[in-house]
Amino acid sequence: MKVLETTDLEQKFQDKIDREVKIEPNDWMPDAYRKTLIRQMSQHAHSEIVGMLPEANWITRAPNLRRKAVLLAKVQDEAGHGLYLYSATETLGADREATIDDLHSGKAKYSSIFNYPALSWADIGAIGWLVDGAAIMNQVALCRCSYGPYARAMVKICKEESFHQRQGYESLTKLAQGTPEQKELAQDALNRFWWPSLMMFGPNDDESPNSAQSMKWKIKRLSNDDLRQNFIDATVPQAELIGLKVPDENLKWNEETGHYDFTPINWDEFWQVVNGNGPCNKQRVDARRKAKEEGMWVREAALAFAEKRKKKQTA
């Protein structure tokens, strides 16, 4: 029987992707494809888990019972998303605990947006509208990712993220239509979260080291710049509808391109945050590390009980 050369395997792999056939865990894949997916999915999982922190901080301070119930449901959803994605990384042979330890040690990254503080209740609305809105823009395309487990996880996640985005927009709309002080809170939240939300899509295409290969493998379907432009085009009219102003003096509709022109992003700030120097980087990682350490006894007790039960059943 003929043994396929690596180049033959890679060609068959790429042909499969080009034909829109999903890659499954037991299929042959290049090591670089596997590593890229583990990196992307684990960082995505970390972002979901770390993203719970600024919102959970406001659960006890929600303005009424309805808002509290909605926020509780949203934070619970984010925890579930993290679990789906950690499970997806395990289909590629990654160890979940080692992956989480990489987050705690600073080796692994997560979305830069979660290193900014939520200073007011209006920020919870801005996170839902802008941050989850930006996430949806990226994640809808991931529903067609070439790797089957990731694509299928994203279908469920996107449905729930859509709820989060609507919840945030509705909350900020109420504030924008309220008292002058409430509208000021809404505008302040938009001012602070607008630029970090645009940075969520990653560096410009000519500076993104992994984008081209990820698009060839159809892990990604749209480039960083295209996703960012789509987000701006969709979000600016939403802000105008509720009477808020996007904090960009150069923002204007371009009739020729059919898109909004906008001020170039300050990427120095982005890289400072990514490299651990954002307003809340240390606080976020410390909180996750503390949660693992303080919850260790629960996991140890559960494992001991499972082991005892197993021995009893086999006795």
Side-chain angles (χ1 to χ4, degrees):
M1 185 174 72
K2 179 183 177 182
V3 178
L4 293 175
E5 298 289 340
T6 301
T7 52
D8 295 333
L9 290 170
E10 289 175 346
Q11 185 59 54
K12 288 179 179 294
F13 173 81
Q14 188 63 50
D15 289 345
K16 192 173 182 179
I17 287 176
D18 293 341
R19 289 184 287 112
E20 300 291 343
V21 177
K22 295 296 183 198
I23 305 300
E24 299 298 341
N26 292 330
D27 293 343
W28 184 91
M29 63 188 73
D31 287 341
Y33 178 84
R34 185 186 302 275
K35 290 178 181 177
T36 297
L37 276 168
I38 290 174
R39 176 186 56 80
Q40 180 170 327
M41 289 192 296
S42 62
Q43 289 182 3
H44 191 166
H46 299 331
S47 298
E48 298 284 356
I49 298 300
V50 175
M52 297 163 61
L53 296 173
E55 295 175 317
N57 190 43
W58 279 92
I59 289 174
T60 58
R61 294 182 285 168
N64 55 51
L65 184 59
R66 176 176 178 270
R67 296 295 180 193
K68 179 178 289 192
V70 169
L71 186 56
L72 275 167
K74 183 177 189 290
V75 172
Q76 178 178 275
D77 284 348
E78 308 294 6
H81 298 172
L83 293 177
Y84 301 152
L85 294 164
Y86 283 133
S87 296
T89 63
E90 289 178 315
T91 66
L92 289 169
D95 180 83
R96 182 182 300 209
E97 289 304 312
T99 298
I100 294 172
D101 288 341
D102 285 344
L103 168 66
H104 295 168
S105 69
K107 180 180 178 181
K109 306 297 183 183
Y110 53 89
S111 180
S112 60
I113 191 72
F114 299 120
N115 289 309
Y116 291 86
L119 303 177
S120 73
W121 174 254
D123 287 14
I124 300 305
I127 289 171
W129 173 35
L130 299 176
V131 176
D132 292 314
I136 291 170
M137 195 66 68
N138 184 46
Q139 292 171 3
V140 166
L142 288 174
C143 292
R144 297 186 294 122
C145 171
S146 60
Y147 186 59
Y150 196 16
R152 291 189 287 272
M154 292 315 306
V155 172
K156 177 174 175 58
I157 289 174
C158 282
K159 290 178 180 178
E160 293 174 350
E161 293 288 7
S162 180
F163 153 73
H164 301 165
Q165 193 269 348
R166 292 197 300 272
Q167 170 267 327
Y169 187 61
E170 187 263 347
S171 178
L172 220 57
T173 298
K174 289 292 185 182
L175 288 173
Q177 296 173 348
T179 65
E181 291 80 9
Q182 288 173 323
K183 184 172 183 179
E184 185 179 350
L185 280 175
Q187 183 64 59
D188 178 63
L190 173 57
N191 291 347
R192 286 183 289 105
F193 276 91
W194 176 254
W195 292 107
S197 295
L198 298 189
M199 296 175 194
M200 282 179 65
F201 297 101
N204 291 332
D205 293 339
D206 57 356
E207 298 179 3
S208 180
N210 303 307
S211 190
Q213 184 61 69
S214 290
M215 291 186 68
K216 180 181 179 181
W217 282 331
K218 297 188 179 179
I219 295 173
K220 292 178 62 172
R221 294 287 181 150
L222 295 170
S223 72
N224 296 351
D225 287 339
D226 286 342
L227 287 167
R228 188 167 16 252
Q229 186 68 65
N230 291 344
F231 174 75
I232 292 171
D233 293 345
T235 308
V236 170
Q238 294 173 353
E240 293 174 347
L241 184 64
I242 60 177
L244 297 181
K245 178 177 174 57
V246 171
D248 183 353
E249 294 301 325
N250 296 315
L251 185 73
K252 63 179 180 180
W253 181 255
N254 188 321
E255 293 287 351
E256 294 184 2
T257 64
H259 298 290
Y260 281 96
D261 294 334
F262 59 96
T263 301
I265 293 170
N266 177 9
W267 290 112
D268 288 341
E269 176 183 341
F270 172 78
W271 289 115
Q272 280 290 319
V273 175
V274 168
N275 290 325
N277 299 315
C280 297
N281 287 67
K282 185 177 185 303
Q283 177 184 342
R284 299 294 187 237
V285 175
D286 285 349
R288 292 311 313 158
R289 190 186 298 114
K290 181 180 178 183
K292 180 172 183 177
E293 291 170 354
E294 293 185 350
M296 190 70 73
W297 70 272
V298 178
R299 290 188 293 277
E300 290 174 349
L303 289 171
F305 176 79
E307 185 64 27
K308 182 178 179 180
R309 186 174 182 180
K310 182 179 178 181
K311 289 180 179 178
K312 185 176 180 180
Q313 290 175 339
T314 56

